[in-house]
Amino acid sequence: MKNWKLTLTILAASSVLMSSSYTMLIPFLPMYLIQELGVEQANVNWWSSIIFSVSFLISGLMAPVWGALADKKSRKLMAIRASLCLSISYILGGFVTTPWELFAMRVFQGFAAGLWPALLSIMSGEAPPKRLGFCMGVMQAGLTAGHVLGPLAGGVLAELFTMRATFIIAGAALFLISLAIIFLVHETPRVPSKKTSESGNSAEKPSVLSIPAVQRMLFAACIVQMTILMTQPVLPLYIAELQGSMDQIVLISGIVFSIIGISGVIASPIWGIVGQGWGFRPALYLALLLSGIFGVIQAIPQDLTAFTAWRFVGGLTFAGIFPAVNAVLTQSTDPADRGKVFGYSYAAQQLGSVIGPILGGAMATWISNQMVVAMAGAFLFPLVALLYFRRPREHGATGTPQHGV
């Protein structure tokens, strides 16, 4: 019997290292551009923006390509490819001497991306059907934990060593992921789908994008990611408004940013179990509705402590969204298409990552930072209404393993 628990442990740990490597550069990237790469302070925001965004853009475009290759060849091989290439890119980041070289490194990172979809597709194939929700929740918790720990680790490592050394350490962490996947992760050989076996022609199989459930989940993933990124450009200024000054704004913003991730780590596995029992679609509707409510409520207090407390509560409900989305995608597609569908999901989230900051910045310019925070929650109400009223009508279509899809 395959040891799915060992696979889950390794892949969840890999998710932590992966996402922390992505985010550990956030605290010092502007200073790295100024002090190490000679960028003038007047131009640092522009450089920071394009260096960050180019990787998101390219990785979003490439994710479906890598996902399709994973389905045709090997998901494990694609995970190894992504982790090794990302490791090389970060190590190169520690040796660049100009901002254009750093930009080129981020372009290479974009082409190398695809590790998260590969990890998800491997886990979806190894998880027992009755533990799928739990496995998706643990994987999401690992990703969230890395997002929380990354900026803290980056700041500490840059302080203890150097900013250049931090790039190399991030590369080493990703290399450890490669070794773990190579030597410890087992990928069960896949059998051809029934449709393909009977027809003898895989070209007759419809595209995963033609599946209504997949269309709804990709749309949901994009909108949810958009709401996450909407508040990021304005949140430090909003926090400054709430506390009445800019004193220690970097430290305080970091704490407020991370609090929702901490609650997410706590709640993600629990939501996975809830989805396993109730059905993943009802769990998704509930998580979206509660996240919308608490997203609006957190914009009401005029006190920083109350705002932070409501963000923690909102994080407990928000943690249920992506495990449910990933579980519905798993159940709605042929096992042979898992890499492809998670690649599309990643691309949808990257699109939301591009739209969100632009929309949030524009709204803050025309209305207020407080309204941007409130609207990020309010956008979830029409989304959950759309998903609910367009849900499958057949009996038992709740997104549970025992009922199928």
Side-chain angles (χ1 to χ4, degrees):
M1 181 178 179
K2 63 185 180 183
N3 192 343
W4 65 270
K5 293 181 180 179
L6 175 62
T7 301
L8 177 61
T9 300
I10 295 168
L11 296 186
S14 298
S15 300
V16 174
L17 289 175
M18 175 195 71
S19 57
S20 60
S21 297
Y22 288 164
T23 58
M24 68 192 304
L25 310 178
I26 291 174
F28 63 83
L29 181 61
M31 298 306 297
Y32 189 66
L33 288 165
I34 294 171
Q35 296 181 7
E36 299 288 340
L37 305 185
V39 174
E40 295 181 2
Q41 190 163 349
N43 298 326
V44 72
N45 286 336
W46 180 80
W47 274 109
S48 294
S49 297
I50 66 167
I51 284 172
F52 257 102
S53 62
V54 69
S55 183
F56 291 142
L57 177 63
I58 295 175
S59 62
L61 294 173
M62 292 300 299
V65 176
W66 294 129
L69 285 174
D71 290 332
K72 290 180 180 178
K73 304 296 183 181
S74 165
R75 292 162 188 167
K76 178 177 176 178
L77 184 61
M78 285 298 106
I80 295 169
R81 173 206 59 79
S83 57
L84 283 175
C85 289
L86 286 170
S87 174
I88 293 169
S89 71
Y90 273 101
I91 292 172
L92 290 175
F95 293 96
V96 297
T97 57
T98 69
W100 282 113
E101 290 179 357
L102 186 59
F103 178 83
M105 182 273 281
R106 289 286 290 177
V107 169
F108 176 62
Q109 273 188 355
F111 280 106
L115 181 55
W116 176 240
L119 296 180
L120 279 179
S121 60
I122 291 172
M123 195 64 246
S124 71
E126 302 301 310
K130 292 184 179 180
R131 304 309 299 272
L132 175 64
F134 174 74
C135 292
M136 292 294 105
V138 171
M139 291 291 289
Q140 189 67 38
L143 186 75
T144 305
H147 283 310
V148 174
L149 296 172
L152 175 62
V156 171
L157 290 172
E159 186 71 23
L160 291 177
F161 302 103
T162 64
M163 290 181 283
R164 289 188 180 275
T166 304
F167 274 92
I168 297 172
I169 292 170
L174 287 158
F175 183 69
L176 289 177
I177 293 176
S178 305
L179 295 179
I181 295 172
I182 291 170
F183 294 109
L184 300 177
V185 171
H186 169 74
E187 182 182 16
T188 302
R190 284 165 281 159
V191 297
S193 64
K194 290 182 179 179
K195 292 182 180 179
T196 302
S197 299
E198 292 170 359
S199 66
N201 185 3
S202 60
E204 295 179 9
K205 188 170 68 172
S207 167
V208 294
L209 292 178
S210 66
I211 301 172
V214 171
Q215 295 170 359
R216 289 191 293 272
M217 291 304 103
L218 295 184
F219 180 73
C222 178
I223 298 301
V224 170
Q225 190 70 13
M226 181 194 76
T227 64
I228 295 172
L229 272 293
M230 270 179 64
T231 60
Q232 297 221 352
V234 305
L235 199 56
L237 293 176
Y238 184 57
I239 292 169
E241 291 176 15
L242 291 177
Q243 74 169 358
S245 72
M246 294 291 287
D247 294 343
Q248 294 185 306
I249 191 62
V250 175
L251 174 62
I252 294 171
S253 294
I255 294 172
V256 176
F257 266 106
S258 65
I259 199 73
I260 195 170
I262 294 172
S263 57
V265 172
I266 296 170
S268 288
I270 298 173
W271 275 106
I273 296 172
V274 169
Q276 200 77 46
W278 290 5
F280 295 116
R281 291 188 180 95
L284 175 60
Y285 306 149
L286 180 62
L288 285 170
L289 179 61
L290 293 177
S291 296
I293 292 171
F294 291 123
V296 173
I297 288 176
Q298 70 177 303
I300 297 175
Q302 298 297 313
D303 172 75
L304 181 58
T305 301
F307 172 72
T308 305
W310 281 115
R311 275 183 67 82
F312 179 84
V313 174
L316 294 174
T317 62
F318 205 92
I321 296 175
F322 280 112
V325 168
N326 292 333
V328 173
L329 287 173
T330 297
Q331 295 182 326
S332 301
T333 53
D334 190 293
D337 290 329
R338 297 282 165 73
K340 188 183 301 180
V341 78
F342 284 124
Y344 283 129
S345 177
Y346 185 76
Q349 291 176 57
Q350 295 298 76
L351 177 61
S353 297
V354 173
I355 297 172
I358 298 172
L359 180 59
M363 290 176 64
T365 301
W366 293 104
I367 43 178
S368 68
N369 293 331
Q370 184 181 25
M371 283 302 298
V372 174
V373 174
M375 288 302 295
F379 275 134
L380 297 179
F381 295 138
L383 174 61
V384 70
L386 175 67
L387 294 177
Y388 179 78
F389 289 112
R390 295 293 301 276
R391 72 191 186 280
R393 299 292 181 175
E394 64 270 18
H395 177 70
T398 58
T400 56
Q402 59 269 34
H403 294 311
V405 297

